[in-house]
Amino acid sequence: MASVCLQVCVLCGEGADATSEAAGRRLYRALREACREASGIDVRAVDCLAVCDRPVTLVFRSDSPGRWSYLVGGADPRKDPADILAAARAVAASEHGVPAMAERPPFFRDGVIARLPPARRLKSDRNG
């Protein structure tokens, strides 16, 4: 199984005032805590993913060549961490980084903003 990096926008969902922590930062902390003992999932903070109309936003990215990545918005730091980890495992377990629809939790199915092609071109892309 490939490893997956979860990149979390920590500026998403800024707090109501200067003393409130952004929802993205709360999600980042929750995922880091949940992944302390999980292998194959690396959680990293990103200052901004420029999807401010769909906070809280994260990227599911595999370092393996030929694998797709996902940009997903609208995650809820209070209720979605377990589903985010399940989706990360499904992305890691799939051959090309594209999990079966049945393995995608609701936040993932409803929140996909973009599916990004692998950095290296797929065989089917070479003629176009």
Side-chain angles (χ1 to χ4, degrees):
M1 180 173 3
S3 63
V4 170
C5 179
L6 290 175
Q7 296 173 304
V8 183
C9 178
V10 295
L11 295 182
C12 274
E14 283 295 332
D17 57 46
T19 62
S20 298
E21 185 175 47
R25 184 158 302 279
R26 289 193 311 271
L27 178 61
Y28 167 73
R29 290 180 196 273
L31 292 171
R32 290 282 296 177
E33 182 65 30
C35 287
R36 278 183 193 231
E37 312 231 350
S39 62
I41 301 174
D42 182 27
V43 181
R44 297 189 183 193
V46 176
D47 284 335
C48 183
L49 290 169
V51 190
C52 300
D53 60 336
R54 297 280 302 275
V56 169
T57 305
L58 56 147
V59 176
F60 292 79
R61 182 184 312 269
S62 175
D63 292 334
S64 301
R67 299 178 62 81
W68 290 77
S69 298
Y70 283 87
L71 179 65
V72 180
D76 185 331
R78 294 168 299 196
K79 68 177 188 173
D80 291 336
D83 281 346
I84 290 168
L85 297 178
R89 288 184 194 99
V91 167
S94 64
E95 183 180 355
H96 297 291
V98 180
M101 287 304 265
E103 296 176 352
R104 300 177 190 189
F107 94 91
F108 191 96
R109 285 191 307 266
D110 298 340
V112 170
I113 296 165
R115 183 175 79 167
L116 307 169
R120 198 175 93 201
R121 299 178 86 181
L122 296 174
K123 290 180 183 178
S124 62
D125 289 343
R126 292 190 179 151
N127 295 327

